[in-house]
Amino acid sequence: MDYVSALVPPVVMAAFFIGLVVTIVKTQGGSNKTKEDAAADAAEAAQTGAAVKH
């Protein structure tokens, strides 16, 4: 029975990691891509503008 308790944590971690990767891949692109890109560009422009003013 020790081998079961030794294998459970890595299997659970692997399952969560695979789920995380699948979620990240599914949320990339699609209808939100333009909105996300615009938000990232605006944040970058604001940071660059703030750095230039100082």
Side-chain angles (χ1 to χ4, degrees), residues 22-47:
V22 168
T23 302
I24 290 171
V25 169
K26 282 185 177 181
T27 58
Q28 296 300 308
S31 59
N32 291 332
K33 184 172 184 356
T34 305
K35 183 170 57 174
E36 292 171 358
D37 288 346
D41 290 342
E44 182 181 359
Q47 181 136 13

